PDB file of all heavy atoms in Angstrom:
ATOM      1  N   LYS A1461     -81.460 -71.037 170.595  1.00  0.00           N
ATOM      2  CA  LYS A1461     -81.717 -71.521 169.235  1.00  0.00           C
ATOM      3  C   LYS A1461     -80.444 -71.364 168.400  1.00  0.00           C
ATOM      4  O   LYS A1461     -80.457 -70.728 167.341  1.00  0.00           O
ATOM      5  CB  LYS A1461     -82.875 -70.751 168.598  1.00  0.00           C
ATOM      6  CG  LYS A1461     -84.214 -70.979 169.282  1.00  0.00           C
ATOM      7  CD  LYS A1461     -85.345 -70.351 168.492  1.00  0.00           C
ATOM      8  CE  LYS A1461     -86.688 -70.705 169.112  1.00  0.00           C
ATOM      9  NZ  LYS A1461     -87.820 -70.180 168.303  1.00  0.00           N
ATOM     10  N   ALA A1484     -90.106 -58.198 186.747  1.00  0.00           N
ATOM     11  CA  ALA A1484     -90.322 -56.851 187.279  1.00  0.00           C
ATOM     12  C   ALA A1484     -91.115 -56.871 188.577  1.00  0.00           C
ATOM     13  O   ALA A1484     -91.008 -55.955 189.406  1.00  0.00           O
ATOM     14  CB  ALA A1484     -91.031 -55.982 186.241  1.00  0.00           C
ATOM     15  N   LEU A1507     -87.368 -65.758 159.865  1.00  0.00           N
ATOM     16  CA  LEU A1507     -88.199 -65.692 158.662  1.00  0.00           C
ATOM     17  C   LEU A1507     -88.698 -67.064 158.232  1.00  0.00           C
ATOM     18  O   LEU A1507     -89.744 -67.176 157.592  1.00  0.00           O
ATOM     19  CB  LEU A1507     -87.417 -65.035 157.522  1.00  0.00           C
ATOM     20  CG  LEU A1507     -87.020 -63.571 157.730  1.00  0.00           C
ATOM     21  CD1 LEU A1507     -86.308 -63.047 156.504  1.00  0.00           C
ATOM     22  CD2 LEU A1507     -88.242 -62.723 158.048  1.00  0.00           C
ATOM     23  N   ALA A1508     -87.969 -68.112 158.593  1.00  0.00           N
ATOM     24  CA  ALA A1508     -88.405 -69.461 158.233  1.00  0.00           C
ATOM     25  C   ALA A1508     -89.693 -69.840 158.946  1.00  0.00           C
ATOM     26  O   ALA A1508     -90.399 -70.755 158.513  1.00  0.00           O
ATOM     27  CB  ALA A1508     -87.308 -70.468 158.570  1.00  0.00           C
ATOM     28  N   THR A1519    -100.741 -62.345 162.721  1.00  0.00           N
ATOM     29  CA  THR A1519    -100.642 -61.274 161.737  1.00  0.00           C
ATOM     30  C   THR A1519     -99.367 -60.453 161.945  1.00  0.00           C
ATOM     31  O   THR A1519     -98.755 -60.494 163.015  1.00  0.00           O
ATOM     32  CB  THR A1519    -101.850 -60.336 161.852  1.00  0.00           C
ATOM     33  OG1 THR A1519    -101.793 -59.671 163.128  1.00  0.00           O
ATOM     34  CG2 THR A1519    -103.160 -61.114 161.733  1.00  0.00           C
ATOM     35  N   ARG A1546     -72.297 -61.887 171.687  1.00  0.00           N
ATOM     36  CA  ARG A1546     -71.274 -62.545 170.886  1.00  0.00           C
ATOM     37  C   ARG A1546     -71.797 -62.651 169.453  1.00  0.00           C
ATOM     38  O   ARG A1546     -73.001 -62.740 169.216  1.00  0.00           O
ATOM     39  CB  ARG A1546     -70.964 -63.951 171.410  1.00  0.00           C
ATOM     40  CG  ARG A1546     -70.380 -64.015 172.812  1.00  0.00           C
ATOM     41  CD  ARG A1546     -69.946 -65.421 173.161  1.00  0.00           C
ATOM     42  NE  ARG A1546     -68.787 -65.827 172.367  1.00  0.00           N
ATOM     43  CZ  ARG A1546     -68.462 -67.095 172.110  1.00  0.00           C
ATOM     44  NH1 ARG A1546     -69.221 -68.084 172.554  1.00  0.00           N
ATOM     45  NH2 ARG A1546     -67.379 -67.377 171.400  1.00  0.00           N
ATOM     46  N   GLY A1547     -70.890 -62.639 168.487  1.00  0.00           N
ATOM     47  CA  GLY A1547     -71.275 -62.879 167.104  1.00  0.00           C
ATOM     48  C   GLY A1547     -72.289 -61.888 166.570  1.00  0.00           C
ATOM     49  O   GLY A1547     -72.197 -60.679 166.797  1.00  0.00           O
ATOM     50  N   ALA A1591     -80.006 -44.061 167.619  1.00  0.00           N
ATOM     51  CA  ALA A1591     -79.812 -42.613 167.532  1.00  0.00           C
ATOM     52  C   ALA A1591     -79.560 -41.989 168.897  1.00  0.00           C
ATOM     53  O   ALA A1591     -78.769 -41.044 169.022  1.00  0.00           O
ATOM     54  CB  ALA A1591     -81.027 -41.967 166.873  1.00  0.00           C
ATOM     55  N   LEU A1605     -78.139 -48.398 154.678  1.00  0.00           N
ATOM     56  CA  LEU A1605     -77.157 -49.181 153.925  1.00  0.00           C
ATOM     57  C   LEU A1605     -77.138 -50.651 154.319  1.00  0.00           C
ATOM     58  O   LEU A1605     -76.654 -51.484 153.556  1.00  0.00           O
ATOM     59  CB  LEU A1605     -75.755 -48.574 154.095  1.00  0.00           C
ATOM     60  CG  LEU A1605     -75.602 -47.122 153.631  1.00  0.00           C
ATOM     61  CD1 LEU A1605     -74.153 -46.670 153.794  1.00  0.00           C
ATOM     62  CD2 LEU A1605     -76.057 -46.965 152.183  1.00  0.00           C
ATOM     63  N   PRO A1610     -68.950 -53.268 163.242  1.00  0.00           N
ATOM     64  CA  PRO A1610     -68.161 -54.118 164.144  1.00  0.00           C
ATOM     65  C   PRO A1610     -68.195 -53.603 165.579  1.00  0.00           C
ATOM     66  O   PRO A1610     -68.376 -52.406 165.821  1.00  0.00           O
ATOM     67  CB  PRO A1610     -66.751 -54.041 163.557  1.00  0.00           C
ATOM     68  CG  PRO A1610     -66.939 -53.588 162.145  1.00  0.00           C
ATOM     69  CD  PRO A1610     -68.136 -52.687 162.162  1.00  0.00           C
ATOM     70  N   ALA A1614     -68.863 -49.900 167.268  1.00  0.00           N
ATOM     71  CA  ALA A1614     -70.069 -49.690 168.063  1.00  0.00           C
ATOM     72  C   ALA A1614     -69.719 -49.137 169.432  1.00  0.00           C
ATOM     73  O   ALA A1614     -70.408 -48.263 169.974  1.00  0.00           O
ATOM     74  CB  ALA A1614     -70.836 -51.004 168.195  1.00  0.00           C
ATOM     75  N   GLY A1618     -70.504 -45.280 171.190  1.00  0.00           N
ATOM     76  CA  GLY A1618     -71.291 -45.174 172.407  1.00  0.00           C
ATOM     77  C   GLY A1618     -72.423 -46.170 172.527  1.00  0.00           C
ATOM     78  O   GLY A1618     -73.250 -46.069 173.439  1.00  0.00           O
ATOM     79  N   THR A1621     -71.196 -50.711 176.172  1.00  0.00           N
ATOM     80  CA  THR A1621     -70.535 -50.318 177.413  1.00  0.00           C
ATOM     81  C   THR A1621     -69.055 -50.670 177.375  1.00  0.00           C
ATOM     82  O   THR A1621     -68.195 -49.879 177.779  1.00  0.00           O
ATOM     83  CB  THR A1621     -71.205 -51.020 178.607  1.00  0.00           C
ATOM     84  OG1 THR A1621     -72.614 -50.725 178.591  1.00  0.00           O
ATOM     85  CG2 THR A1621     -70.594 -50.589 179.930  1.00  0.00           C
ATOM     86  N   ASP A1631     -67.163 -62.824 179.853  1.00  0.00           N
ATOM     87  CA  ASP A1631     -67.884 -63.381 180.995  1.00  0.00           C
ATOM     88  C   ASP A1631     -67.398 -62.767 182.303  1.00  0.00           C
ATOM     89  O   ASP A1631     -68.199 -62.467 183.200  1.00  0.00           O
ATOM     90  CB  ASP A1631     -67.726 -64.902 181.039  1.00  0.00           C
ATOM     91  CG  ASP A1631     -68.517 -65.597 179.940  1.00  0.00           C
ATOM     92  OD1 ASP A1631     -69.490 -64.993 179.445  1.00  0.00           O
ATOM     93  OD2 ASP A1631     -68.164 -66.734 179.582  1.00  0.00           O
ATOM     94  N   ALA A1642     -76.068 -56.488 191.806  1.00  0.00           N
ATOM     95  CA  ALA A1642     -76.916 -57.369 192.613  1.00  0.00           C
ATOM     96  C   ALA A1642     -76.892 -57.005 194.088  1.00  0.00           C
ATOM     97  O   ALA A1642     -77.847 -57.287 194.820  1.00  0.00           O
ATOM     98  CB  ALA A1642     -76.475 -58.822 192.426  1.00  0.00           C
ATOM     99  N   GLY A1644     -76.300 -53.797 195.112  1.00  0.00           N
ATOM    100  CA  GLY A1644     -76.467 -52.358 195.208  1.00  0.00           C
ATOM    101  C   GLY A1644     -77.830 -51.986 195.770  1.00  0.00           C
ATOM    102  O   GLY A1644     -78.674 -52.846 196.049  1.00  0.00           O
ATOM    103  N   GLU A1650     -83.241 -48.284 190.513  1.00  0.00           N
ATOM    104  CA  GLU A1650     -84.487 -48.183 189.749  1.00  0.00           C
ATOM    105  C   GLU A1650     -84.791 -46.742 189.361  1.00  0.00           C
ATOM    106  O   GLU A1650     -85.108 -46.450 188.193  1.00  0.00           O
ATOM    107  CB  GLU A1650     -85.645 -48.759 190.567  1.00  0.00           C
ATOM    108  CG  GLU A1650     -86.997 -48.628 189.883  1.00  0.00           C
ATOM    109  CD  GLU A1650     -88.148 -49.161 190.723  1.00  0.00           C
ATOM    110  OE1 GLU A1650     -87.888 -49.694 191.825  1.00  0.00           O
ATOM    111  OE2 GLU A1650     -89.308 -49.049 190.270  1.00  0.00           O
ATOM    112  N   LEU A1678     -95.024 -53.269 155.290  1.00  0.00           N
ATOM    113  CA  LEU A1678     -93.944 -53.858 154.496  1.00  0.00           C
ATOM    114  C   LEU A1678     -93.924 -55.377 154.565  1.00  0.00           C
ATOM    115  O   LEU A1678     -93.527 -56.039 153.598  1.00  0.00           O
ATOM    116  CB  LEU A1678     -92.595 -53.290 154.971  1.00  0.00           C
ATOM    117  CG  LEU A1678     -92.393 -51.787 154.720  1.00  0.00           C
ATOM    118  CD1 LEU A1678     -91.114 -51.313 155.400  1.00  0.00           C
ATOM    119  CD2 LEU A1678     -92.360 -51.490 153.227  1.00  0.00           C
ATOM    120  N   ALA A1688     -87.265 -61.907 151.295  1.00  0.00           N
ATOM    121  CA  ALA A1688     -87.193 -63.085 152.157  1.00  0.00           C
ATOM    122  C   ALA A1688     -86.830 -64.324 151.353  1.00  0.00           C
ATOM    123  O   ALA A1688     -85.996 -65.138 151.781  1.00  0.00           O
ATOM    124  CB  ALA A1688     -88.526 -63.283 152.871  1.00  0.00           C
ATOM    125  N   LEU A1692     -83.460 -66.570 151.973  1.00  0.00           N
ATOM    126  CA  LEU A1692     -83.535 -68.001 152.267  1.00  0.00           C
ATOM    127  C   LEU A1692     -82.895 -68.822 151.145  1.00  0.00           C
ATOM    128  O   LEU A1692     -82.354 -69.905 151.388  1.00  0.00           O
ATOM    129  CB  LEU A1692     -84.991 -68.416 152.472  1.00  0.00           C
ATOM    130  CG  LEU A1692     -85.663 -67.816 153.728  1.00  0.00           C
ATOM    131  CD1 LEU A1692     -87.149 -68.132 153.735  1.00  0.00           C
ATOM    132  CD2 LEU A1692     -85.001 -68.319 154.994  1.00  0.00           C
ATOM    133  N   ALA A1700     -88.936 -54.517 143.049  1.00  0.00           N
ATOM    134  CA  ALA A1700     -89.768 -53.915 142.006  1.00  0.00           C
ATOM    135  C   ALA A1700     -89.184 -52.600 141.545  1.00  0.00           C
ATOM    136  O   ALA A1700     -88.568 -51.859 142.325  1.00  0.00           O
ATOM    137  CB  ALA A1700     -91.187 -53.707 142.521  1.00  0.00           C
TER     138      ALA A1700
END
Side-chain angles (χ1 to χ4, degrees):
K1461 295 188 174 184
L1507 296 182
T1519 66
R1546 297 187 69 204
L1605 301 183
T1621 305
D1631 288 337
E1650 177 182 357
L1678 294 172
L1692 293 172

